Amino acid sequence: MGFFLETLFGGLMSGMLYALIGLGFVLIFKASGVFNFAQGAMVLVAALAMARFSEWIPRWLGFDSPLLANTLAFIVSAALMMALARVVEALVLRHLVNQEATTLLMATLGISYFLDGAGQIAFGSSVYSINVGMPKEPALILDKMFEGGLLLNLEDLTAAVIAALMVALLALFFQYTGTGRALRAVADDHQAAQSVGIPLNRIWVVVWSVAGLVALVAGVIWGSKFGVQFTLSTAALRALPVVILGGLTSIPGAILGGLIIGVGEKLSEVYLGPMVGGGIEIWFAYVLALAFLLFRPQGLFGEKIIDRI
């Protein structure tokens, strides 16, 4: 029982991180109706900025405080992601208002490749580390309830709590703020939203800025655990099944989808992996997503599209 709970907790914590990355896809889709292939590159650039600025800022300002360095690096990186959102809106999205979704989709592909190249030029192509003080040592809990207790990864727990807080704040933002309601209106119909006075360009800047902040938090957590390198841009591919399961327009769906995939990966690898030679954790999420595409393509909480003639 103890081993099962350890595996379950590990899956839930991984699932929250998947959900956080998946939220970036949901945010852009809710505001523009297009799947953002640049989300992985945004996570990479944000993580690179955090890693490099935490090294450069103490050298520039002449102090030796890791906490202050990380705080300033996070602020500068967040400002960079917001500035990037404005640049994307001014140079790309502004010229594609009311265009077909396919056009916007191709634009996000172009943005992705640009960010990959620009990140390498600006920050270098080595492997970098991020140390924000997340605990690395595991903790033994419930040792009186289970024989041997439960070994809990405190770094994963901290990451899961941070991801959960970010998810909760975003859910409140979309549900109870005027800007959040405007974002939902823009997602439903660009032209109708403009006709009632909603400034589409400003809304896109806001949503790309928020998605950039989400990418920064995800990049910091992921970089703290595994290091920052250019393969990090492919980490967003792990979140694709999350949004397919939960639905491209649903924040609660991204949360539930992330938890299902996180737990499913861990449990299948531990209990089914030995029967088939291992490796289930690599493809489990994609097989599950394929099943959903066949039988419920809108996902658990996605809106079912009905075309009337």
Side-chain angles (χ1 to χ4, degrees), residues 22-243:
L23 273 177
F25 292 107
V26 173
L27 288 171
I28 300 295
F29 192 87
K30 284 177 74 69
S32 63
V34 66
F35 192 82
N36 178 30
F37 273 105
Q39 187 63 31
M42 291 171 65
V43 173
L44 170 64
V45 170
L48 280 172
M50 181 67 188
R52 300 299 277 154
F53 282 128
S54 63
E55 296 176 9
W56 293 340
I57 289 177
R59 194 183 311 156
W60 294 340
L61 300 182
F63 64 85
D64 189 23
S65 171
L67 177 60
L68 181 58
N70 286 327
T71 302
L72 292 176
F74 188 88
I75 293 172
V76 173
S77 300
L80 175 65
M81 298 309 293
M82 292 181 184
L84 179 63
R86 289 193 173 273
V87 170
V88 167
E89 188 278 326
L91 298 182
V92 181
L93 300 179
R94 182 177 301 177
H95 307 285
L96 298 176
V97 174
N98 296 325
Q99 296 296 317
E100 294 291 334
T102 304
T103 303
L104 289 168
L105 177 65
M106 296 305 296
T108 66
L109 280 172
I111 293 169
S112 176
Y113 285 113
F114 170 78
L115 291 179
D116 278 340
Q120 186 170 1
I121 293 172
F123 300 112
S125 56
S126 300
V127 179
Y128 304 105
S129 62
I130 295 178
N131 184 8
V132 291
M134 293 175 65
K136 301 292 184 180
E137 296 296 326
L140 188 65
I141 63 172
L142 302 179
D143 52 326
K144 295 181 179 179
M145 187 175 297
F146 300 101
E147 184 179 353
L150 298 180
L151 199 61
L152 193 64
N153 189 318
L154 292 181
E155 184 177 29
D156 286 345
L157 179 61
T158 304
V161 170
I162 294 172
L165 289 174
M166 177 66 75
V167 168
L169 288 173
L170 287 173
L172 292 173
F173 170 75
F174 269 96
Q175 193 67 30
Y176 297 107
T177 67
T179 303
R181 288 190 290 271
L183 290 173
R184 298 201 304 271
V186 170
D188 289 337
D189 192 316
H190 292 176
Q191 292 180 336
Q194 286 181 303
S195 69
V196 296
I198 296 176
L200 185 59
N201 293 339
R202 183 177 68 84
I203 290 298
W204 275 354
V205 169
V206 170
V207 76
W208 277 75
S209 297
V210 174
L213 291 177
V214 172
L216 175 59
V217 174
V220 169
I221 294 174
W222 203 280
S224 177
K225 292 182 64 175
F226 306 111
V228 181
Q229 51 189 318
F230 273 80
T231 56
L232 183 60
S233 62
T234 63
L237 295 176
R238 302 292 296 272
L240 289 179
V242 171
V243 294

